[in-house]
Amino acid sequence: MDTVTRPRILVVGAGFAGVECVRRLERKLSPDDARITLVTPISYQLYLPLLPQVASGVLTPQSVAVSLRRSAKYRTRIIPGGAIGVDLKAKVCVVRSITGRIVNEPYDYIVLTPGSVTRTFDIPGLTEHAFGMKTLAEAAYIRDHVIAQLDLADASEDPAERASRLRFVVVGGGYAGTETAACLQRLTHAAVERYPRLDPGLIKWHLIDIAPKLMPELGEKLGRSAQEILVRRGIEISLGVSVAKAGPTEVTFTDGRAVPTRTLIWTAGVVASPLIATLGAETVRGRLAVTADMCLPGADGVFALGDAAAVPDHAKGVEGAVCPPTAQHAIRQGKQVADNVIATLTGRPLRPYHHKDLGLVVDLGGTDAVSRPLGVELRGLPAQVAARGYHWSALRTNVAKTRVMTNWLLNSIAGDDFVRTGFQARRPAKLQDFEYTDVYLTPEQVRAHVEETGLPAR
């Protein structure tokens, strides 16, 4: 096939779904069959479920960031930037490079896996004063910030300042929030032993959520077990409560309580990437409505999956059910979409996505965990083995597996040195500074931009 006329396959996003799709396309297509391009602002795949362990120092940032260029056989072209709009009619993806330059990237087939962003609400002061836990930079920054609060509290002679620096609030009773609170509480509990001037009793962690139960997906018994573990550690849990307003030194809850704190970590869920809104297509609770074979109805050569797509979950047997935004679904959807793209190229029928959920694992640090693999409820050390075993096996490369296992062993033997890397020397960076949700175009802006700039030569 003439290389000039090779089909152009554009994959947007380097999360679980996007990377699995690219890797399978590379294995099954020769360089002459198609030209594969990946749009991503970062040249690594982030293993998101382990971010709380990065924030707490159990794992190093590099161990959960799997390089996309490590394989010597890697041949996909990477565009370092983020997609900010898609013109389905012109078959053009508008990309904002990491330098801020706006470019048009034409495609014949596009696989949309832009993932999700932190869900926020119109709460006064939230985006200006809260931290997120969605990116590697945020996890590393939060670790620096938490240790800095201990340093500053130890150096302060003001009891009010000391108390506010030693109070920490985590919003979100799902997996991310629960694991973040659990892991960081262990960090401060261990670190305070190195600060003889600090009263350990002053360190207080609050976990709040508007839902009536903690991690309801786990079921009544396991959710209650997780809550008991956190309470036993001294974490105050408030359910049916959220944030009314946030300030630099105080957070007010919706029940009227005002908590002095310099640390507000917001993990109250995610929403589909704003890129989805630029398509002007039908959505289901913000996620792109697709068919069971992950095609966008009425759009030629468009596939969508992962957190940003409402993929029908036929395995549940419930009408209208869609797959939850979890890694196990994204990985399998990525492989299935790659096969469906190839089937489209070769004129074969597409296969619908079908996967039965394997269960859930929640790592609370140390030997504390609750897990439900294949429907079997586990607690304590067996649950911890299941949780870490699942995460370890899901890592894509042997190098990543070795790094993570080494980190776990070293931390269990030697503990933490509680070193700050220097992020606090910069200006404060909060929720609004990491996810760049204000750069996306409207459907009208996308169309106007494409018409104004024209298309590059094929």
Side-chain angles (χ1 to χ4, degrees), residues 264-293:
L264 171 62
I265 303 174
W266 182 267
T267 64
V270 296
V271 294
S273 166
L275 177 67
I276 298 306
T278 74
L279 276 68
E282 182 184 353
T283 59
V284 177
R285 295 184 179 180
R287 301 168 72 183
L288 197 62
V290 296
T291 60
D293 50 20

Tab-separated table of all heavy atoms in Angstrom, residues 264-293:
chain	number	residue	atom	x	y	z
A	264	LEU	N	-7.132	21.170	51.929
A	264	LEU	CA	-8.425	20.645	51.468
A	264	LEU	C	-8.155	19.847	50.198
A	264	LEU	O	-7.732	20.401	49.186
A	264	LEU	CB	-9.400	21.787	51.187
A	264	LEU	CG	-10.720	21.400	50.506
A	264	LEU	CD1	-11.524	20.449	51.385
A	264	LEU	CD2	-11.535	22.645	50.168
A	265	ILE	N	-8.375	18.540	50.257
A	265	ILE	CA	-8.144	17.652	49.112
A	265	ILE	C	-9.500	17.225	48.568
A	265	ILE	O	-10.303	16.608	49.276
A	265	ILE	CB	-7.304	16.430	49.516
A	265	ILE	CG1	-5.967	16.878	50.119
A	265	ILE	CG2	-7.063	15.525	48.310
A	265	ILE	CD1	-5.133	15.737	50.681
A	266	TRP	N	-9.756	17.550	47.300
A	266	TRP	CA	-11.061	17.322	46.685
A	266	TRP	C	-10.995	16.111	45.760
A	266	TRP	O	-10.310	16.117	44.742
A	266	TRP	CB	-11.483	18.563	45.903
A	266	TRP	CG	-12.830	18.463	45.253
A	266	TRP	CD1	-13.095	18.049	43.975
A	266	TRP	CD2	-14.092	18.787	45.833
A	266	TRP	NE1	-14.449	18.087	43.736
A	266	TRP	CE2	-15.092	18.542	44.858
A	266	TRP	CE3	-14.484	19.267	47.097
A	266	TRP	CZ2	-16.442	18.752	45.099
A	266	TRP	CZ3	-15.840	19.472	47.338
A	266	TRP	CH2	-16.795	19.219	46.344
A	267	THR	N	-11.724	15.039	46.117
A	267	THR	CA	-11.759	13.820	45.304
A	267	THR	C	-13.208	13.366	45.111
A	267	THR	O	-13.481	12.162	45.094
A	267	THR	CB	-10.945	12.690	45.959
A	267	THR	OG1	-11.554	12.344	47.219
A	267	THR	CG2	-9.510	13.109	46.203
A	268	ALA	N	-14.109	14.330	44.977
A	268	ALA	CA	-15.547	14.013	44.922
A	268	ALA	C	-16.000	13.648	43.522
A	268	ALA	O	-16.905	14.261	42.951
A	268	ALA	CB	-16.352	15.191	45.465
A	269	GLY	N	-15.371	12.636	42.950
A	269	GLY	CA	-15.817	12.118	41.671
A	269	GLY	C	-15.181	12.781	40.460
A	269	GLY	O	-14.398	13.731	40.583
A	270	VAL	N	-15.511	12.249	39.286
A	270	VAL	CA	-14.960	12.738	38.029
A	270	VAL	C	-16.088	12.914	37.016
A	270	VAL	O	-17.178	12.356	37.178
A	270	VAL	CB	-13.901	11.766	37.451
A	270	VAL	CG1	-12.701	11.659	38.374
A	270	VAL	CG2	-14.508	10.382	37.197
A	271	VAL	N	-15.814	13.680	35.984
A	271	VAL	CA	-16.729	13.829	34.845
A	271	VAL	C	-15.915	13.642	33.570
A	271	VAL	O	-14.690	13.783	33.571
A	271	VAL	CB	-17.418	15.212	34.831
A	271	VAL	CG1	-18.343	15.360	36.023
A	271	VAL	CG2	-16.384	16.335	34.820
A	272	ALA	N	-16.607	13.327	32.500
A	272	ALA	CA	-15.933	13.120	31.220
A	272	ALA	C	-15.165	14.374	30.803
A	272	ALA	O	-15.541	15.503	31.133
A	272	ALA	CB	-16.944	12.743	30.144
A	273	SER	N	-14.089	14.171	30.088
A	273	SER	CA	-13.288	15.281	29.591
A	273	SER	C	-14.156	16.300	28.846
A	273	SER	O	-15.073	15.926	28.108
A	273	SER	CB	-12.212	14.760	28.632
A	273	SER	OG	-11.633	15.816	27.902
A	274	PRO	N	-13.881	17.593	29.019
A	274	PRO	CA	-14.627	18.622	28.285
A	274	PRO	C	-14.527	18.473	26.770
A	274	PRO	O	-15.314	19.079	26.041
A	274	PRO	CB	-13.975	19.928	28.750
A	274	PRO	CG	-13.424	19.614	30.107
A	274	PRO	CD	-12.955	18.199	30.006
A	275	LEU	N	-13.580	17.668	26.289
A	275	LEU	CA	-13.469	17.444	24.849
A	275	LEU	C	-14.769	16.892	24.280
A	275	LEU	O	-15.139	17.205	23.143
A	275	LEU	CB	-12.320	16.473	24.559
A	275	LEU	CG	-12.133	16.078	23.096
A	275	LEU	CD1	-11.687	17.287	22.274
A	275	LEU	CD2	-11.142	14.925	22.956
A	276	ILE	N	-15.466	16.062	25.053
A	276	ILE	CA	-16.688	15.423	24.567
A	276	ILE	C	-17.735	16.462	24.175
A	276	ILE	O	-18.464	16.296	23.192
A	276	ILE	CB	-17.247	14.466	25.641
A	276	ILE	CG1	-16.240	13.347	25.924
A	276	ILE	CG2	-18.572	13.890	25.209
A	276	ILE	CD1	-15.788	12.574	24.707
A	277	ALA	N	-17.797	17.558	24.902
A	277	ALA	CA	-18.795	18.593	24.611
A	277	ALA	C	-18.524	19.290	23.292
A	277	ALA	O	-19.438	19.895	22.710
A	277	ALA	CB	-18.836	19.618	25.744
A	278	THR	N	-17.283	19.228	22.793
A	278	THR	CA	-16.957	19.913	21.538
A	278	THR	C	-17.499	19.182	20.318
A	278	THR	O	-17.526	19.746	19.221
A	278	THR	CB	-15.429	20.078	21.388
A	278	THR	OG1	-14.830	18.811	21.064
A	278	THR	CG2	-14.801	20.628	22.655
A	279	LEU	N	-17.925	17.932	20.485
A	279	LEU	CA	-18.415	17.158	19.352
A	279	LEU	C	-19.858	17.507	18.992
A	279	LEU	O	-20.300	17.250	17.860
A	279	LEU	CB	-18.325	15.659	19.642
A	279	LEU	CG	-16.988	14.972	19.391
A	279	LEU	CD1	-15.928	15.448	20.382
A	279	LEU	CD2	-17.126	13.457	19.505
A	280	GLY	N	-20.603	18.035	19.940
A	280	GLY	CA	-22.008	18.319	19.696
A	280	GLY	C	-22.839	17.071	19.521
A	280	GLY	O	-23.896	17.098	18.875
A	281	ALA	N	-22.392	15.951	20.112
A	281	ALA	CA	-23.100	14.673	19.971
A	281	ALA	C	-23.888	14.361	21.240
A	281	ALA	O	-23.730	15.012	22.275
A	281	ALA	CB	-22.097	13.554	19.672
A	282	GLU	N	-24.709	13.325	21.162
A	282	GLU	CA	-25.532	12.925	22.301
A	282	GLU	C	-24.659	12.385	23.426
A	282	GLU	O	-23.686	11.662	23.191
A	282	GLU	CB	-26.537	11.857	21.868
A	282	GLU	CG	-27.471	11.405	22.992
A	282	GLU	CD	-28.389	10.267	22.572
A	282	GLU	OE1	-28.386	9.927	21.371
A	282	GLU	OE2	-29.089	9.724	23.450
A	283	THR	N	-25.017	12.725	24.652
A	283	THR	CA	-24.265	12.246	25.812
A	283	THR	C	-25.207	11.609	26.823
A	283	THR	O	-26.417	11.844	26.816
A	283	THR	CB	-23.497	13.392	26.493
A	283	THR	OG1	-24.442	14.403	26.915
A	283	THR	CG2	-22.476	14.010	25.561
A	284	VAL	N	-24.613	10.812	27.699
A	284	VAL	CA	-25.338	10.206	28.821
A	284	VAL	C	-24.607	10.632	30.087
A	284	VAL	O	-23.498	10.172	30.358
A	284	VAL	CB	-25.367	8.665	28.712
A	284	VAL	CG1	-26.063	8.063	29.929
A	284	VAL	CG2	-26.042	8.222	27.431
A	285	ARG	N	-25.203	11.556	30.824
A	285	ARG	CA	-24.571	12.113	32.017
A	285	ARG	C	-23.159	12.619	31.715
A	285	ARG	O	-22.214	12.390	32.474
A	285	ARG	CB	-24.533	11.087	33.149
A	285	ARG	CG	-25.912	10.696	33.657
A	285	ARG	CD	-25.839	9.754	34.839
A	285	ARG	NE	-27.175	9.413	35.317
A	285	ARG	CZ	-27.411	8.598	36.346
A	285	ARG	NH1	-26.397	8.038	36.991
A	285	ARG	NH2	-28.648	8.337	36.715
A	286	GLY	N	-23.036	13.281	30.598
A	286	GLY	CA	-21.773	13.893	30.215
A	286	GLY	C	-20.839	12.994	29.432
A	286	GLY	O	-19.867	13.471	28.844
A	287	ARG	N	-21.132	11.687	29.411
A	287	ARG	CA	-20.283	10.747	28.674
A	287	ARG	C	-20.883	10.524	27.284
A	287	ARG	O	-22.105	10.465	27.130
A	287	ARG	CB	-20.155	9.423	29.436
A	287	ARG	CG	-19.560	9.588	30.822
A	287	ARG	CD	-19.715	8.337	31.674
A	287	ARG	NE	-18.837	7.264	31.234
A	287	ARG	CZ	-18.831	6.051	31.778
A	287	ARG	NH1	-19.687	5.743	32.746
A	287	ARG	NH2	-17.994	5.125	31.338
A	288	LEU	N	-20.029	10.358	26.295
A	288	LEU	CA	-20.477	10.224	24.918
A	288	LEU	C	-21.292	8.942	24.741
A	288	LEU	O	-20.850	7.855	25.124
A	288	LEU	CB	-19.262	10.205	23.990
A	288	LEU	CG	-19.508	10.464	22.497
A	288	LEU	CD1	-20.098	11.852	22.286
A	288	LEU	CD2	-18.196	10.320	21.736
A	289	ALA	N	-22.479	9.059	24.166
A	289	ALA	CA	-23.341	7.896	23.942
A	289	ALA	C	-22.829	7.103	22.742
A	289	ALA	O	-22.762	7.619	21.621
A	289	ALA	CB	-24.778	8.353	23.700
A	290	VAL	N	-22.443	5.856	22.963
A	290	VAL	CA	-21.911	5.008	21.901
A	290	VAL	C	-22.664	3.684	21.886
A	290	VAL	O	-23.400	3.349	22.818
A	290	VAL	CB	-20.403	4.739	22.094
A	290	VAL	CG1	-19.610	6.029	21.980
A	290	VAL	CG2	-20.126	4.056	23.440
A	291	THR	N	-22.465	2.932	20.827
A	291	THR	CA	-23.070	1.615	20.705
A	291	THR	C	-22.230	0.588	21.458
A	291	THR	O	-21.162	0.897	21.985
A	291	THR	CB	-23.168	1.215	19.224
A	291	THR	OG1	-21.842	1.191	18.669
A	291	THR	CG2	-24.008	2.224	18.452
A	292	ALA	N	-22.702	-0.647	21.486
A	292	ALA	CA	-21.993	-1.698	22.214
A	292	ALA	C	-20.624	-2.004	21.608
A	292	ALA	O	-19.741	-2.517	22.295
A	292	ALA	CB	-22.837	-2.966	22.266
A	293	ASP	N	-20.459	-1.698	20.289
A	293	ASP	CA	-19.140	-1.903	19.680
A	293	ASP	C	-18.297	-0.636	19.751
A	293	ASP	O	-17.267	-0.523	19.099
A	293	ASP	CB	-19.261	-2.397	18.234
A	293	ASP	CG	-20.206	-1.544	17.397
A	293	ASP	OD1	-20.474	-0.390	17.792
A	293	ASP	OD2	-20.677	-2.038	16.357
